[in-house]
């Protein structure tokens, strides 16, 4: 059974000083999101407060910078996301404890109008992200994230802007990628 305490919201964004004239907030870019997830992953008290389930991922929604969507996620041994993208959102994630592996595609896929694609050779990328390490990514980044440990949880922090409009889920058999499902925010909140 998975525990999904998404009703909690944790704010890690400090308020700017009050002024008589305020500019509209800037949309956070990849660098700002990466800085946020790094600082959040370094918050040992927050990271240790995440309830962990031995059988399924757990998560708590966080308040990210500039209206971004952010999550603290626990990964039991042997779990992963499957292949997916974050549609038109840019993002960043950092491993706070344990180690995660990211498999990604170094290719821009068409955003619509296809169900099956044959990938060319050489598009696969692999990263191992130990505690304190992470990355940012642009729109339509296709990847899967895995905790390959057989005995240790991993915890990570993720942020996306704009807040996720959808997640497209894919299946993959060798070089063939198939669009399987499109999830909307109401499916995971």
């Amino acid at each position: 059974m998975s525990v999904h305490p998404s009703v909690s919201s944790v704010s890690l964004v400090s308020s700017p000083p009050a002024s008589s004239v305020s500019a509209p907030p800037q949309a956070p870019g990849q660098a700002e999101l990466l800085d946020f997830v790094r600082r959040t992953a370094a918050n040992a008290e927050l990271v240790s407060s995440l309830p962990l389930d031995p059988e399924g991922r757990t998560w708590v929604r966080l308040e990210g910078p500039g209206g971004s969507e952010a999550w603290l996620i626990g990964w039991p041994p042997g779990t992963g996301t499957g292949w997916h993208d974050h549609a038109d959102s840019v993002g960043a994630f950092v491993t706070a404890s344990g180690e995660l592996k990211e498999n990604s595609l170094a290719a821009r896929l068409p955003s619509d109008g296809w169900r099956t694609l044959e990938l060319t050779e050489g598009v696969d990328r692999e990263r191992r992200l130990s505690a304190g390490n992470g990355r940012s990514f642009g729109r339509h980044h296709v990847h899967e994230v895995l905790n390959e440990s057989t005995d240790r949880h991993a915890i990570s922090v993720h942020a996306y802007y704009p807040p996720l409009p959808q997640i497209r889920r894919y299946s993959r058999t060798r070089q063939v990628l198939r669009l399987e499902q499109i999830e909307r925010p109401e499916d995971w909140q």
Side-chain angles (χ1 to χ4, degrees):
M1 180 175 115
S2 296
V3 177
H4 309 290
S6 61
V7 294
S8 300
S9 181
V10 178
S11 176
L12 294 174
V13 178
S14 58
S15 298
S19 68
S20 58
V21 177
S22 62
Q26 283 284 74
Q30 292 178 44
E32 187 176 354
L33 294 174
L34 184 58
D35 180 60
F36 169 80
V37 296
R38 282 187 173 139
R39 285 184 290 111
T40 304
N43 182 334
E45 183 178 348
L46 175 65
V47 170
S48 68
S49 73
L50 180 67
L52 300 177
D53 183 317
E55 296 179 23
R57 287 189 298 155
T58 55
W59 55 83
V60 173
R61 187 169 184 159
L62 308 173
E63 186 175 313
S68 63
E69 179 174 345
W71 300 90
L72 179 66
I73 300 175
W75 305 77
T79 59
T81 60
W83 287 94
H84 67 282
D85 71 19
H86 305 101
D88 290 322
S89 297
V90 298
F93 72 99
V94 166
T95 304
S97 69
E99 180 179 86
L100 293 172
K101 175 182 168 185
E102 180 199 34
N103 295 316
S104 63
L105 300 178
R108 170 104 184 194
L109 303 182
S111 58
D112 291 311
W114 65 277
R115 299 287 300 174
T116 303
L117 288 176
E118 186 163 341
L119 302 170
T120 59
E121 295 294 327
V123 298
D124 290 297
R125 300 293 181 266
E126 178 183 307
R127 287 184 173 84
R128 296 218 173 256
L129 302 167
S130 58
N133 293 303
R135 63 156 318 178
S136 63
F137 52 86
R139 290 168 168 72
H140 307 286
H141 176 69
V142 177
H143 69 163
E144 67 175 348
V145 180
L146 309 158
N147 177 5
E148 293 186 321
S149 172
T150 58
D151 61 355
R152 185 170 180 209
H153 266 80
I155 298 175
S156 58
V157 180
H158 303 246
Y160 311 98
Y161 188 86
L164 296 173
Q166 66 184 15
I167 293 177
R168 289 182 289 237
R169 298 215 173 263
Y170 305 98
S171 64
R172 181 159 180 200
T173 306
R174 292 177 295 286
Q175 293 305 107
V176 176
L177 189 71
R178 286 183 182 83
L179 176 62
E180 297 291 344
Q181 179 180 6
I182 298 175
E183 295 177 1
R184 308 241 179 256
E186 56 271 15
D187 297 327
W188 64 80
Q189 293 183 13

